């Protein structure tokens, strides 16, 4: 039997149209480099996004051409998010924290034709300019400084639009955007998002048991718009009509807290490092900011320690722990306590919220161990493998033959986890970060999260170091909070009641800072290199 439904493509255009017509007066606020606040709304955003689309077509953009952005989170970046795909182009967000050589590699590999860059990021772009072949570079004047010779003005481009724009015939299978993985090894790999993938991801992301976003919300995405489309949040906010608040380049705890208070933010999102900083600021100055009760903070990118979830709860702030990756657009799991578990004790509920959570609708997830799919016993570890409508099936023009897909079509995430009988996924490690001592696995993530629950510890990373007898043993690298003190023995004693004896790290080293990737993840490979020849205490006399 044939169905009787319309063949209506799932594209971004209805989101743009809807926001422009239904939420025209809803505010979009952006913090500028000089810290002033720029105020606009979805009505103006709609007009300007379409003006950008019109002018991209007029300067010769062809379907599928890549337009790169080198920008902070602000209203003009939002215009690019919609204006570039609306013209039939592909939005390619560049990670401004990468080394110039990597940015140049990515621009060339993607074949970007045009670039839109914040004026404050021109010094960075200058470092790659000679290494890339792009046709035109449009500069967004955030500071009002004159546009240097050799560059075009973004505002002058938009000013030429006359409004005679009609959308091209965009299909749901068209490429909408691309983003390169921030992996710590090998060349960055490009992931290309389709219109359909982004639409389905956006719809699911807003569900109450996912991130629960709505028109009543004021959303501040701290997660950069150059990192997996800021977890899809700019699309989600535009679709449902949430007020948007952008932090611009000011990501320190005090600036963010100030913006939360001023703009009555109800939901925000970012990596644990950001929230650890905010937690410290709140602990130092309790009651210093009048925040919206029940402020939700989506935390992902790295594991959210249970202690962090607890700390925020004391301030009536609610962490929503989520897991995903660039190849997954990015959302894979969200941690919500199921209704049938609401009778559990507070401690048990905190433990559930510290897991990575339950797979989103349409994310098929399995944990594959050495002997096949692991039982849902919360103990047996294996690699998380996924498939679904917003999960990559390949990389863009891969340089090395990809090894990330199974023969039966699942994506191998490289994350190691257990899964409970209730379906909660708990990440214990990245495959390459596993510690295997005497043939037994030790979860570095569990040890780190426990250490970060100690009042003197700001951050902790646990790595494996070579050991004659046990092959590998865990070593804890700890950064203490400013003015705090703690000894090695104090920290190890703090861990002892929580873990089996063989899990306790053999030693603790105190370091200034944990090396991090451009998206805030611990770079354990760098730490492992640094401590490769570290002599553990019991081996010192051998
Ligand atoms: P990226 O592609 O840069 O977003 O990085 C994805 C990787 O970040 C995942 O494969 C995980 O290793 C890690 N990650 C993301 N979210 C979490 C989380 N909630 N807990 C632990 N690791 C996470």
């Amino acid at each position: 039997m044939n169905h009787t439904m319309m063949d209506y493509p799932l594209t971004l255009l209805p989101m743009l149209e809807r926001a422009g017509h239904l939420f025209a007066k809803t505010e979009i606020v952006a913090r500028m480099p000089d810290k002033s606040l720029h105020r606009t709304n979805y009505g103006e955003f709609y007009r300007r996004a379409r003006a950008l689309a019109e002018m991209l077509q007029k300067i010769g953009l062809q379907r599928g051409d890549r337009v790169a952005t080198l920008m902070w989170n602000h209203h003009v970046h939002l215009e690019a998010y919609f204006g570039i795909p609306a013209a039939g182009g592909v939005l390619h967000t560049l990670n401004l924290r990468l080394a110039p050589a990597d940015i140049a590699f990515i621009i060339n590999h993607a074949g970007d034709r045009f670039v839109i860059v914040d004026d404050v990021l021109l010094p960075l772009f200058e470092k790659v300019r000679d290494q890339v072949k792009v046709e035109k570079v449009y500069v967004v004047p955030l500071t009002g400084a004159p546009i240097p010779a050799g560059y075009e003005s973004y505002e002058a481009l938009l000013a030429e639009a006359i409004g005679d724009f009609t959308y091209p015939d965009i299909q749901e299978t068209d490429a909408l955007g691309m983003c390169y993985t921030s992996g710590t090894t090998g060349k960055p790999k490009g992931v290309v998002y389709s219109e359909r993938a982004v639409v389905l991801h956006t719809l699911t992301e807003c569900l109450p048991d996912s991130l629960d976003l709505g028109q009543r919300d004021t959303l501040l995405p701290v997660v950069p718009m150059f990192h997996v489309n800021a977890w899809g949040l700019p699309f989600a906010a535009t679709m449902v009509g949430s007020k948007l608040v952008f932090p611009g380049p000011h990501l320190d705890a005090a600036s963010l807290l100030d913006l939360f208070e001023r703009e009555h933010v109800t939901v925000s999102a970012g990596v644990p490092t950001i929230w650890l900083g905010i937690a410290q600021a709140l602990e130092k100055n309790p009651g210093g900011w009048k925040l919206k009760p029940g402020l939700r903070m989506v935390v992902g990118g790295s594991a959210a320690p249970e202690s962090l979830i607890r700390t925020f709860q004391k301030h009536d702030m609610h962490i929503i722990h989520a897991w995903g990756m660039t190849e997954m657009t990015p959302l894979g799991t969200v941690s919500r306590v199921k209704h049938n578990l609401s009778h559990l004790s507070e401690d048990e509920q905190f433990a559930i919220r510290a897991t990575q959570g339950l797979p989103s609708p349409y994310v098929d997830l399995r944990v594959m161990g050495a002997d096949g799919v692991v039982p849902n016993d919360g103990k047996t570890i294996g690699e998380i493998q996924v498939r679904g409508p917003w999960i990559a099936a390949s990389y863009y023009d891969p340089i090395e033959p990809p090894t990330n897909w199974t023969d039966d079509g699942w994506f191998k995430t490289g994350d190691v986890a257990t899964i409970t009988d209730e379906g909660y996924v708990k990440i214990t490690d990245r495959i390459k970060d596993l510690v295997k001592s005497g043939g037994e696995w030790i979860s570095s993530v569990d040890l780190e999260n426990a250490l970060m629950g100690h009042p003197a510890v700001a951050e902790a990373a646990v790595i494996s170091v070579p050991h004659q007898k046990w092959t590998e043993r865990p070593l804890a690298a700890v950064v203490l909070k400013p003015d705090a003190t703690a000894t090695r023995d104090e920290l190890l004693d703090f861990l002892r009641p929580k873990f089996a004896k063989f899990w306790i790290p053999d030693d603790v080293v105190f370091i200034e800072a944990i090396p991090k990737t451009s998206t805030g993840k611990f770079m354990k490979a760098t730490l492992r290199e640094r401590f490769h020849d570290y002599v553990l205490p019991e081996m010192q006399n051998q």
Side-chain angles (χ1 to χ4, degrees):
M1 189 183 193
N2 292 332
H3 69 72
T4 62
M5 295 295 116
M6 291 184 182
D7 193 9
Y8 183 90
L10 299 174
T11 74
L12 281 195
L13 300 180
M15 284 185 204
L16 177 59
E17 284 296 315
R18 189 165 189 270
H21 291 101
L22 299 188
F23 310 122
K25 296 192 187 113
T26 301
E27 260 193 312
I28 299 173
V29 183
R31 176 91 87 179
M32 294 288 99
D34 68 357
K35 288 212 143 189
S36 64
L37 294 178
H38 177 94
R39 291 184 183 277
T40 179
N41 56 38
Y42 280 109
E44 185 59 6
F45 148 76
Y46 172 73
R47 191 189 65 73
R48 285 175 54 98
R50 282 174 51 98
L52 172 61
E54 173 189 330
M55 291 315 300
L56 284 172
Q57 287 191 339
K58 288 183 176 163
I59 60 170
L61 180 105
Q62 301 293 312
R63 292 287 286 275
D65 280 351
R66 270 74 72 204
V67 182
T69 59
L70 187 62
M71 298 161 110
W72 291 105
N73 288 14
H74 51 61
H75 59 296
V76 184
H77 211 166
L78 186 72
E79 285 161 27
Y81 260 52
F82 283 84
I84 295 168
V90 178
L91 164 78
H92 176 199
T93 50
L94 296 171
N95 182 341
L96 57 89
R97 295 198 211 283
L98 291 180
D102 284 335
I103 298 179
F105 167 83
I106 287 171
I107 293 176
N108 289 330
H109 186 261
D112 295 331
R113 230 183 122 187
F114 304 109
V115 182
I116 306 175
V117 53
D118 284 348
D119 57 2
V120 286
L121 292 170
L122 266 180
L124 171 61
F125 188 73
E126 279 285 302
K127 293 190 185 146
V128 302
R129 177 123 212 209
D130 291 345
Q131 303 165 54
V132 297
K133 290 188 246 90
V134 293
E135 262 171 65
K136 283 200 167 125
V137 183
Y138 292 91
V139 179
V140 180
L142 297 179
T143 63
I147 311 282
Y151 292 98
E152 317 285 326
S153 158
Y154 177 86
E155 287 303 329
L157 179 76
L158 255 58
E160 282 178 47
I162 56 171
D164 62 348
F165 170 70
T166 50
Y167 295 119
D169 178 27
I170 294 175
Q171 296 303 311
E172 64 179 33
T173 46
D174 285 349
L176 170 156
M178 74 186 304
C179 184
Y180 279 72
T181 58
S182 53
T184 47
T185 50
K187 285 280 180 208
K189 297 187 272 287
V191 175
V192 183
Y193 305 110
S194 64
E195 295 270 348
R196 179 173 188 269
V198 170
V199 168
L200 292 173
H201 180 270
T202 309
L203 287 165
T204 324
E205 183 168 64
C206 296
L207 291 173
D209 289 333
S210 187
L211 306 190
D212 189 17
L213 296 170
Q215 192 207 329
R216 69 193 181 288
D217 278 314
T218 296
L219 168 72
L220 188 153
V222 184
V223 49
M225 289 171 84
F226 56 73
H227 184 211
V228 216
N229 307 323
W231 301 344
L233 293 167
F235 298 124
T238 306
M239 182 180 80
V240 298
S242 312
K243 172 178 166 182
L244 263 171
V245 181
F246 290 114
H250 303 289
L251 302 179
D252 58 284
S255 299
L256 290 172
L257 281 161
D258 176 64
L259 213 46
F260 288 170
E261 179 182 61
R262 265 173 204 248
E263 298 301 322
H264 312 291
V265 169
T266 62
V267 54
S268 184
V271 293
T273 316
I274 296 279
W275 304 118
L276 284 167
I278 288 192
Q280 281 180 32
L282 288 173
E283 298 281 277
K284 247 197 197 155
N285 186 5
W289 294 270
K290 278 198 186 58
L291 305 179
K292 275 289 218 194
L295 178 80
R296 284 124 66 210
M297 292 162 305
V298 182
V299 181
S302 300
E306 187 180 315
S307 53
L308 191 71
I309 304 179
R310 287 177 182 267
T311 302
F312 277 116
Q313 210 64 41
K314 277 195 312 208
H315 297 279
D316 197 10
M317 294 163 83
H318 192 83
I319 281 192
I320 302 168
H321 191 193
W323 163 85
M325 46 198 310
T326 306
E327 291 88 338
M328 298 175 67
T329 316
L331 206 60
T333 62
V334 181
S335 203
R336 297 280 193 180
V337 178
K338 284 200 221 171
H339 187 59
N340 65 316
L341 302 176
S342 54
H343 65 279
L344 292 179
S345 69
E346 212 184 38
D347 283 351
E348 287 166 316
Q349 297 201 28
F350 274 123
I352 290 180
R353 288 177 54 199
T355 71
Q356 279 65 23
L358 303 170
S360 299
Y362 289 95
V363 173
D364 283 354
L365 185 148
R366 68 184 186 190
V367 177
M368 190 58 90
D371 306 318
V373 175
V374 305
N376 287 12
D377 59 5
K379 287 201 279 267
T380 316
I381 61 167
E383 182 187 33
I384 306 179
Q385 301 184 348
V386 285
R387 59 180 190 188
W390 54 82
I391 291 160
S394 62
Y395 290 118
Y396 173 68
D397 192 10
I399 291 181
E400 294 142 14
T403 52
N404 306 60
W405 286 271
T406 63
D407 290 340
D408 59 345
W410 293 69
F411 176 71
K412 291 156 62 178
T413 63
D415 286 326
V416 177
T418 58
I419 188 159
T420 69
D421 58 345
E422 291 286 352
Y424 286 95
V425 175
K426 183 161 181 272
I427 292 187
T428 55
D429 261 303
R430 289 287 295 161
I431 281 184
K432 53 186 191 306
D433 295 337
L434 281 169
V435 185
K436 198 168 195 183
S437 173
E440 296 288 337
W441 298 115
I442 295 173
S443 165
S444 61
V445 175
D446 281 355
L447 289 168
E448 286 159 9
N449 286 344
L451 278 168
M452 289 193 265
H454 188 282
V457 175
E459 286 187 320
V462 173
I463 53 165
S464 67
V465 288
H467 188 281
Q468 275 167 8
K469 180 167 174 200
W470 302 111
T471 324
E472 288 176 0
R473 288 296 301 152
L475 170 71
V478 167
V479 181
L480 291 175
K481 287 180 185 163
D483 308 326
T485 52
T487 63
R488 163 195 187 272
D489 290 342
E490 239 173 283
L491 293 180
L492 295 181
D493 286 345
F494 178 74
L495 293 178
R496 279 185 226 288
K498 302 182 171 69
F499 296 100
K501 206 169 152 221
F502 80 96
W503 275 45
I504 304 302
D506 282 26
D507 206 359
V508 177
V509 286
F510 293 94
I511 57 177
E512 286 291 295
I514 309 239
K516 299 209 181 66
T517 67
S518 61
T519 50
K521 295 183 212 309
F522 290 170
M523 271 204 306
K524 291 204 202 167
T526 312
L527 275 181
R528 274 197 298 270
E529 257 167 52
R530 174 164 161 199
F531 291 105
H532 186 265
D533 298 324
Y534 189 77
V535 182
L536 294 166
E538 64 160 305
M539 294 168 66
Q540 272 165 10
N541 302 326
Q542 290 177 15

